[in-house]
Amino acid sequence: MGLTTARYWREVPQRYRMEAGECTACGEIHFPPRRICMKCGKQKFETVVLPDTGKVITWTVIRVAPDEFTDLSPYAVCLVELENGVRLMSQLVDVDLDEIEMGLPVKIEFRRIREDGADGVLFYGYKVVPA
Amino acid sequence: MRDVAVIGVGLSAWGEVWKQSLRDLITEAAVNAVDDAGVEKLDAMFIGCMSGGLFAGQEHIGALAADYLGMGPIPATRTESACASAGTAFRTGLMAVASGYHDVVLAGGVEKMTDVDGGATTRALAAAADQEYEAYHGVTFPGLYAMMAVAHMAKYGTTREQLAMVAVKNHRNGAMNPHGQSPFEVTLEQVLTATRVADPLRILDCSPVTDGAAAAILCPLDMVSRFTKSQAIRVTGSGQATDTIALHQRKDICAIESAALAAKVAYDMAGVGPGDIDFAEVHDCFTIAEIMVTEALGFCEQGQGGKAVEAGETALDGRIPINTSGGLKSKGHPVGATGIAQIHEIVTQLRGNAGGRQVKDAKRGLAQNMGGTGASSTVHILEVI
């Protein structure tokens, strides 16, 4: 996709450090951070670090993958609800694909997302594993 | 605001159309619509196209379409809302006529999808998702809908067989549509054992990759007597709504709220409710999508979409026939053209020209077009004058 280093670098606080934005007015936490609070519309936030545990809300096993992920196929992806209620999308790894279920407790780990390919960047970020 | 009517519709060749380019397709559909309407000139064009850039390396679709239709120098604009691009083209054209800005407007849509390989197609379609927080992690579009399916099955007891019944029904309708890409029937067994794409979805749960274009001609209702070549159909309701781009920020991943909101606006405008609709074309990009949209449009209770298809309520002879054309599933899904192709089917049914798949006494039809996992929806209601 030709992902430039600048585009990658901009997301590093979220992908490497799990930084989210907490609205100082209503306390709603946004991941990724936003300029405007989805709940109350205010525009002032504090940076908070997300908890690293949660549970699977829904999941699938991808068997037809985009070019960059063909080597990993089949692989699981899931929607995770963290302990503070914040949700995020992630790969679910180090798991038997037949044993994934709703509510599975998971933990966030820092992993390589994909090889550099033609883009010249090594892609890192969060994945979840069974807790 | 002025009342508006559709006075002509047209489709291009549809399917894997190796002999025709993007410009060939939109020109063919536009010529057919102009001919159907019997108009000499247009005042403006709005053309839906999701990703001319990624599929064909071609942007600037509005000017391209006007140029090759020989309608330059009229204003021509592309609209983009992922797979709802043509729905928004129709709505934009409708607003242009209703407002009095233009009298005779072409609303069209086009996508040339088979000039790139499968991996590039998957990536182009994934561009409708959140690039940084969904696609980055290797989540595909079938994957997103698969996750909605898993959640819907867990919450409401929707079954794997009920998903398959959507495909069986739509292929049964599509087998009677000579213009479809896959005009053949499939069995429940075939759907349940087809190649796996993203669990629980299999290849026969997914709409295919399609080349195609569609066009409709709009004019003010009080001008239809000038254009008597084909039967005019009135547009009585139009709604559009958005939702969060990413699935993880939805209030409820088991409901498509944008479709419900767009439908409410369209129903209110038309002064009708779900029970007054005779048939509908809905965005069945995946089988689970039809089930969720059936609920969002109010054709059944929330969570009962699977049971509705199982009971035959959405079949051609059911309480509310859905996707009489075969839907995206059987007819095909050129992503930027689909919203107008749905309008084509509604008009065809309301004119009584649908042949073996004709809905009896069809007086009022609804078209719902959707982008992403429901981040965009348009709903239109059309009625016999």
Side-chain angles (χ1 to χ4, degrees):
Chain A
M1 147 166 70
L3 195 55
T4 63
T5 47
R7 180 177 178 177
Y8 181 71
W9 169 79
R10 286 196 297 268
E11 306 300 326
V12 160
Q14 289 77 252
R15 289 186 185 144
Y16 285 24
R17 302 195 292 274
M18 306 306 298
E19 287 183 7
E22 181 174 346
C23 176
T24 57
C26 76
E28 183 78 359
I29 300 173
H30 300 78
F31 184 80
R34 292 177 174 236
R35 168 74 179 261
I36 298 162
C37 179
M38 291 173 79
K39 196 170 167 192
C40 75
K42 297 288 194 328
Q43 298 189 31
K44 203 169 167 213
F45 293 89
E46 279 177 3
T47 299
V48 295
V49 174
L50 293 177
D52 65 355
T53 55
K55 61 182 179 181
V56 170
I57 296 299
T58 188
W59 85 97
T60 184
V61 176
I62 306 273
R63 296 176 190 277
V64 177
D67 286 347
E68 303 88 341
F69 291 92
T70 308
D71 292 349
L72 292 178
S73 181
Y75 55 93
V77 294
C78 65
L79 188 57
V80 177
E81 186 168 296
L82 299 173
E83 278 172 4
N84 62 355
V86 172
R87 291 180 176 188
L88 53 83
M89 196 70 80
S90 170
Q91 283 186 27
L92 170 56
V93 296
D94 297 353
V95 65
D96 184 334
L97 294 180
D98 296 325
E99 289 180 2
I100 305 170
E101 57 183 10
M102 291 297 220
L104 179 75
V106 291
K107 184 173 183 303
I108 291 174
E109 292 200 351
F110 184 70
R111 297 287 179 102
R112 181 180 291 195
I113 302 291
R114 63 176 168 97
E115 301 294 329
D116 56 347
D119 299 323
V121 178
L122 287 169
F123 298 92
Y124 291 95
Y126 47 85
K127 292 186 181 179
V128 299
V129 300
Chain B
M1 281 206 303
R2 301 191 289 185
D3 289 327
V4 179
V6 177
I7 53 172
V9 288
L11 296 176
S12 70
W14 206 259
E16 287 185 67
V17 190
W18 295 329
K19 285 184 176 172
Q20 287 180 248
S21 66
L22 187 153
R23 71 186 68 181
D24 294 337
L25 292 168
I26 186 60
T27 304
E28 184 183 7
V31 164
N32 288 339
V34 165
D35 184 53
D36 186 42
V39 295
E40 295 292 321
K41 69 176 200 51
L42 301 171
D43 297 320
M45 295 170 68
F46 298 94
I47 307 294
C49 183
M50 173 179 163
S51 196
L54 292 175
F55 284 121
Q58 180 71 60
E59 312 286 13
H60 213 166
I61 306 297
L64 178 77
D67 181 6
Y68 276 76
L69 188 59
M71 288 287 176
I74 65 165
T77 308
R78 170 187 176 177
T79 63
E80 188 272 309
S81 291
C83 300
S85 294
T88 52
F90 188 78
R91 182 169 155 86
T92 308
L94 177 72
M95 292 191 292
V97 175
S99 66
Y101 254 95
H102 297 295
D103 288 334
V104 182
V105 164
L106 183 146
V110 62
E111 212 73 56
K112 176 70 192 176
M113 300 177 74
T114 65
D115 278 352
V116 294
D117 63 27
T121 302
T122 301
R123 197 166 53 201
L125 294 172
D130 184 324
Q131 280 302 293
E132 309 294 359
Y133 292 91
E134 291 178 330
Y136 181 82
H137 298 282
V139 182
T140 60
F141 246 93
L144 289 165
Y145 274 97
M147 283 188 269
M148 293 158 85
V150 168
H152 200 274
M153 291 162 93
K155 184 169 180 180
Y156 296 115
T158 303
T159 66
R160 182 44 271 205
E161 287 72 20
Q162 288 168 347
L163 297 180
M165 287 168 191
V166 173
V168 171
K169 168 183 72 71
N170 290 355
H171 273 276
R172 190 182 300 136
N173 294 345
M176 292 180 279
N177 183 353
H179 208 82
Q181 179 176 11
S182 312
F184 48 78
E185 298 200 22
V186 298
T187 65
L188 200 65
E189 176 72 12
Q190 283 173 316
V191 182
L192 293 173
T193 57
T195 303
R196 295 196 283 187
V197 175
D199 301 348
L201 301 181
R202 293 171 180 264
I203 191 74
L204 287 175
D205 289 293
C206 308
S207 53
V209 168
T210 311
D211 299 326
I217 311 292
L218 296 160
C219 82
L221 187 63
D222 61 14
M223 277 187 203
V224 297
S225 58
R226 299 185 200 175
F227 309 107
T228 54
K229 188 170 177 198
S230 305
Q231 183 186 347
I233 301 295
R234 188 176 168 189
V235 185
T236 54
S238 174
Q240 181 180 354
T242 57
D243 202 341
T244 64
I245 189 85
L247 200 56
H248 70 261
Q249 286 175 322
R250 297 279 164 81
K251 285 192 198 85
D252 181 0
I253 58 169
C254 294
I256 298 182
E257 200 174 346
S258 66
L261 291 169
K264 184 176 187 324
V265 174
Y267 285 141
D268 287 351
M269 182 175 165
V272 300
D276 302 313
I277 303 296
D278 297 326
F279 67 102
E281 289 286 296
V282 312
H283 198 93
D284 60 325
C285 49
F286 301 95
T287 49
I288 182 63
E290 177 170 314
I291 286 173
M292 293 175 72
V293 169
T294 302
E295 297 166 4
L297 296 176
F299 295 140
C300 64
E301 295 289 311
Q302 176 65 31
Q304 302 302 303
K307 292 189 183 79
V309 66
E310 183 169 12
E313 292 177 25
T314 56
L316 195 54
D317 59 355
R319 175 171 62 82
I320 171 73
I322 289 181
N323 285 328
T324 59
S325 69
L328 285 51
K329 178 71 209 70
S330 167
K331 188 176 67 177
H333 182 27
V335 288
T338 280
I340 304 275
Q342 293 176 323
I343 299 290
H344 180 279
E345 175 70 6
I346 302 287
V347 169
T348 302
Q349 287 280 357
L350 292 177
R351 285 174 173 173
N353 295 336
R357 64 183 197 283
Q358 180 66 45
V359 175
K360 256 198 200 165
D361 303 323
K363 296 280 184 280
R364 184 183 291 120
L366 178 151
Q368 181 266 344
N369 187 201
M370 184 156 74
T373 49
S376 286
S377 275
T378 63
V379 171
H380 287 95
I381 298 170
L382 283 77
E383 299 182 26
V384 171
I385 296 170

